[in-house]
Structure formats: structure tokens, C-alpha cells
Amino acid sequence: PSNAMWGGRFAGGPSEIMEAINASIGFDQRLAAQDIAGSRAHAAMLAAQGILTDKDAEAIREGLLTVLSEIEAGTFRFSTKLEDIHMNVEARLIELIGEAGRRLHTGRSRNDQVATDFRLWVREQCDAAITSIEALQEALLTQAEQGADWVMPGFTHLQTAQPVTWGHHMLAYVEMLARDKSRFSDARARMNECPLGAAALAGTSFPIDREATARALGFDRPMANSLDAVSDRDFALDFLGASSILAMHLSRLSEELVIWSSAQFRFVVMSDRFSTGSSIMPQKKNPDAAELIRAKIGRIFGAQTALLMVMKGLPLAYSKDMQEDKEQVFDAADTVMLSLAAMEGMISDLTANPDALRAAAGHGFSTATDLADWLVREAGLPFRDAHHVTGTLVARAEAKGCDLPDLSLEEMQEVHGAITVSIFDVLGVDNSVASRTSYGGTAPANVRAQIARWKEKLG
Ligand code: ARG
């Protein structure tokens, strides 16, 4: 028996292997709600244009609602023989309402249908990502607020660099996430044009109203070129691009949580809710959620590469290759949402250890730059000379096994005669951060102002 939807010109049916490679229903059933929304908009428009009778359109509307409720109730029987979600829904509609159901596909192709469904789905994911990013920003902001002036080491090369504040470090991620959010909203705005009505590739001879279907589905306008409408998946790549960059940020934060929660750092304690134990080592509390976010990110980068590979060699317009777009995007979207939720949970539950932060901030000659700046400001040395003098003092302290403030005034003066006792004022970590008042710097006053700005922004 040949296919009920397209079998007219076929004498025989497909082999089982053909069915297996061809079917997408195993995954594209996730587009059911979008498919039914698209069909409802299409049918209503066909009736408004006099292409369908109102009676048929009403039967289709009711039938589609029944199909939707069957799918939601889990009673719908998906069939691999019917390939994909579009044919599964349509076949059931025909089963339910007969002849009228057979008229639904007038002036439409699965090519514009799938492009529309998928756009609707990805658009929703952009909105969901934005909401989750905001929740994470709020968690970071709460952390920033409670530790606006907690001093901690800032690193470069993961070597102690200069003291910064906990609040400043948290706000760095709030800023990154704001750009991530804007990438999703840019992507959303760009993808918000409707492919429906492009039909197979060339448009249709029926007097359809593409403005109406675009509007009904919440799109800004119909896509202007039918070939483009059915054959690009750049909107999904935009989503994966935004997801990849977000994921990269989440992975860096995860990495910091892994380092910070180690016994060697003790900067933070992860909550029990977001840690796991070891089956052999009773003392262990492992930051598994952070590690998994760091690792799962690979799926998102992989999805982006995979879809670029699928698309890069395709002549216009539709090719079946494009069916391979969905699993990658579904998996990446699931990973983004789960990672965001896990990160939000970890950050909300996180207990920072201000004493450990402060102790670490004072080690590793973290105020050497302050010392060099003092030499420039108070003794008039050119910065390069001040840098050299300070380097010599660091070497002395290192040889003695002490920190910079532990050197005596005499020892310092041996290295440079212009040094006076007031140099000790700038060697403390609080002094160091308080002095970083340049715009965007780590001074607690700056940080508090930024927190206030973000609180207002995030409402
Ligand atoms: N399942 C197909 C996909 O996901 C739907 C479009 C099929 N179109 C076609 N001309 N075979 O791409």
C-alpha cells in the first residue's frame, strides 16, 4: 500500500528501512502545538478568503482542537508510517472530520508548514531563555548586594592579580548575561516573520492572505520571498549562536564554582541541594551540577556546528536534509534551559566565605600595583621605574617568605630612598579596592551604584 498523503504516483510502499530513515515523528511531535496553531490560522484565513466554506473551516477548527486535546492527554497514536507531525495531525483530522480535513492543505506545503512551526517553537524558546536569564541575573544581584564590599583576590592567569570585591565579580556575570539576553531578543526580532503561504517554494495561485496568517500567529509580517521562507534555517542558527555564547558564560561561572568550592580555596560553600557525595570517600561534597553545566555546553556548541554543516551545501529551496535541524535544536534548547535553572539554583543557594575571600585577597602580593602607583603619585617616579622598584620589593618579600606589608620601612628604603611610611597606607586590601574609583572599577561605592542601577533595570 502506498502513502495516503502522497501515494498517487506510487505503485508500491516504502521499505521499512526507508520508513526508518525518513520518519521524524519520534522527535518532531514536540511541534504539535505549533503545527495545530499554524493549521488553525491557515484554515481561518482560507475561509476568510472564500477558498474554504465557513462550514469546512469550522469543522477543521473543532477537529484540530480535538487532535490537540488528544495529544495533550497522551492518547494520540503517533504513527511512523505517517512520517512526521504534520501528516500525523492531518491524518487524524481527516479521520475525525472526513472530507473537510482533506481540504486543509489547500495553498500550503509541508515546506512552509514546517518552517512556520519550527519558527514558532524557536521563538518560544527565545522568550523562555530570556526569562531564565533574568532569574539568574537576580540571583547574582542578590549575591552582589550582600557582598558589595567583601574583598577577594582578582585573578589573571589564575594568579593573584589585584584585590576586587565579591559584588564586582558577581556583577561581571550580570553584565555578560545582559548581553546574552539581548542576543536572544535580537534573534527573536529577526526571526519574527512568517513563512506560511510560501507553499512548496514558489508561492500559490490561491488568493491567500499572508498578512492575516502572519498576524494570527504573532509574527510582525510575512516573509517577502517564498524561496527564502522555506529554505533557510538561519533563525535556528541565531538561537544556537545566542545559546552558545550564553553557554560559554555559564561554563566559565561553573568553572569558578568548581575552583572556589575546593578545599584549597574555600571561597564558597555549595548547598547540599546542588552537590553530591562520594560512594567511597565520606568527606566528599562534589559540585556536580557545575561540572555538568561545564560539560553539557559541548552539546550546544555541537548543535550549532551540526546545523551549520547540514545547511552549508544545500541548493535552494527545501531539501530533506533540513529535517535534521530539529533534534539538534531541541537538545540544545533543553540543555540551555536546564543549565540556566541549575545555575540559578546554585547561585541562589551559594554561601560565600568572606573571611576566606579576604585572607586570600591579601596574599600573593596583590597590592603590588598599589605600591607602584604610590611611587608614581608620591615620589614622582615614571610608572616603568616604579614597576621595577616594586618588582624588586616583591622579590625581597618572596625571599623572606612574607607579604609586602611585612617588609620594614628600612628594607623598603634600601630599595628606593623616596619611600616613606605613608606607603603602608596603600598596602591594605580595603584601601586597594576603595581606591579603584574609575568608572567600572571595583570600589565598593561603584559596585553599590551598579547594583542600584541593575535593581532598577531588572525591576
Ligand atoms: N518532516 C519534514 C521536515 O522536518 C517536513 C517537511 C517535509 N517536506 C518535504 N518536502 N518532504 O523537514
Side-chain angles (χ1 to χ4, degrees):
S2 64
N3 188 291
M5 296 289 178
W6 43 250
R9 60 106 72 223
F10 286 77
S15 89
E16 262 176 49
I17 295 169
M18 179 59 205
E19 265 176 24
I21 195 171
N22 198 35
S24 55
I25 189 62
F27 48 88
D28 68 13
Q29 40 181 284
R30 287 185 75 166
L31 298 177
Q34 290 75 16
D35 193 67
I36 288 168
S39 288
R40 286 183 59 186
H42 182 66
M45 177 279 291
L46 290 179
Q49 295 299 105
I51 303 165
L52 273 188
T53 64
D54 287 343
K55 188 162 158 275
D56 282 350
E58 182 51 25
I60 289 170
R61 197 185 71 84
E62 277 172 23
L64 286 170
L65 287 174
T66 305
V67 176
L68 184 61
S69 65
E70 288 175 356
I71 292 172
E72 282 170 354
T75 57
F76 190 94
R77 293 247 306 268
F78 292 104
S79 154
T80 315
K81 288 206 186 316
L82 290 165
E83 288 184 37
D84 56 24
I85 185 63
H86 323 293
M87 304 232 278
N88 269 271
V89 168
E90 192 180 321
R92 178 66 183 140
L93 178 71
I94 291 167
E95 228 173 71
L96 287 167
I97 67 166
E99 170 100 1
R102 301 180 70 83
R103 296 187 193 278
L104 168 63
H105 211 50
T106 312
R108 183 178 77 167
S109 153
R110 265 189 299 160
N111 296 348
D112 59 336
Q113 192 177 354
V114 71
T116 304
D117 296 0
F118 199 30
R119 257 177 207 256
L120 288 170
W121 194 88
V122 175
R123 190 178 75 182
E124 256 175 52
Q125 297 300 306
C126 288
D127 294 338
I130 288 169
T131 305
S132 296
I133 291 172
E134 278 170 3
L136 175 54
Q137 281 183 305
E138 268 158 33
L140 287 160
L141 200 55
T142 304
Q143 283 288 351
E145 205 171 7
Q146 71 164 355
D149 46 16
W150 293 350
V151 184
M152 67 181 283
F155 299 91
T156 60
H157 314 266
L158 196 56
Q159 307 288 318
T160 300
Q162 295 175 3
V164 296
T165 58
W166 173 259
H168 200 50
H169 201 116
M170 294 296 112
L171 286 182
Y173 283 103
V174 174
E175 297 282 346
M176 293 177 231
L177 289 166
R179 290 192 297 276
D180 290 328
K181 216 165 58 173
S182 75
R183 271 181 278 274
F184 283 106
S185 56
D186 290 351
R188 188 202 199 282
R190 200 157 34 243
M191 76 179 66
N192 204 31
E193 295 188 341
C194 188
L196 193 60
L201 75 165
T204 174
S205 57
F206 290 99
I208 60 171
D209 179 356
R210 292 193 57 206
E211 291 284 348
T213 43
R215 216 176 311 117
L217 294 169
F219 288 107
D220 296 330
R221 62 192 78 84
M223 290 181 78
N225 183 297
S226 62
L227 288 168
D228 174 40
V230 294
S231 68
D232 207 353
R233 294 294 181 264
D234 60 348
F235 65 91
L237 285 162
D238 262 350
F239 173 76
L240 293 176
S243 297
S244 293
I245 296 176
L246 162 68
M248 175 274 294
H249 288 149
L250 295 182
S251 184
R252 294 184 78 175
L253 181 51
S254 298
E255 172 70 4
E256 297 204 307
L257 292 175
V258 170
I259 294 172
W260 290 352
S261 61
S262 69
Q264 289 67 30
F265 272 74
R266 295 192 318 108
F267 283 8
V268 298
V269 178
M270 310 270 284
S271 80
D272 288 358
R273 298 193 328 131
F274 287 94
S275 312
T276 58
S278 156
S279 55
I280 177 170
M281 297 169 281
Q283 86 284 9
K284 292 279 282 197
K285 188 169 170 190
N286 295 325
D288 290 35
E291 294 167 84
L292 284 164
I293 292 174
R294 192 174 60 185
K296 278 177 186 290
I297 281 351
R299 306 164 76 115
I300 299 168
F301 297 172
Q304 188 181 24
T305 304
L307 185 52
L308 285 167
M309 293 303 286
V310 166
M311 297 306 296
K312 75 168 187 65
L314 302 184
L316 304 188
Y318 179 87
S319 296
K320 196 61 171 260
D321 307 53
M322 288 159 72
Q323 182 165 284
E324 285 292 307
D325 56 3
K326 284 175 263 324
E327 276 172 297
Q328 299 292 344
V329 175
F330 291 159
D331 185 71
D334 291 344
T335 305
V336 166
M337 300 313 157
L338 184 58
S339 299
L340 278 169
M343 185 57 86
E344 194 260 318
M346 276 192 292
I347 295 295
S348 296
D349 281 19
L350 192 69
T351 311
N353 180 351
D355 297 333
L357 293 170
R358 162 170 286 274
H363 290 147
F365 315 111
S366 64
T367 53
T369 313
D370 300 85
L371 197 159
D373 287 350
W374 185 94
L375 289 166
V376 170
R377 210 170 42 241
E378 307 296 328
L381 268 65
F383 183 75
R384 282 292 154 223
D385 297 348
H387 186 286
H388 191 83
V389 169
T390 309
T392 310
L393 287 166
V394 167
R396 290 227 168 170
E398 197 170 45
K400 260 188 87 180
C402 68
D403 280 314
L404 280 174
D406 306 324
L407 291 174
S408 68
L409 180 59
E410 293 70 39
E411 284 171 307
M412 293 217 195
Q413 285 170 339
E414 271 170 37
V415 176
H416 201 282
I419 294 178
T420 70
V421 70
S422 80
I423 201 162
F424 288 97
D425 295 345
V426 301
L427 297 182
V429 291
D430 290 303
N431 227 297
S432 173
V433 293
S435 73
R436 298 302 198 275
T437 51
S438 56
Y439 182 76
T442 197
N446 279 8
V447 171
R448 278 195 215 91
Q450 291 294 329
I451 289 170
R453 181 175 71 89
W454 275 114
K455 280 182 91 166
E456 200 176 292
K457 239 180 153 163
L458 293 172

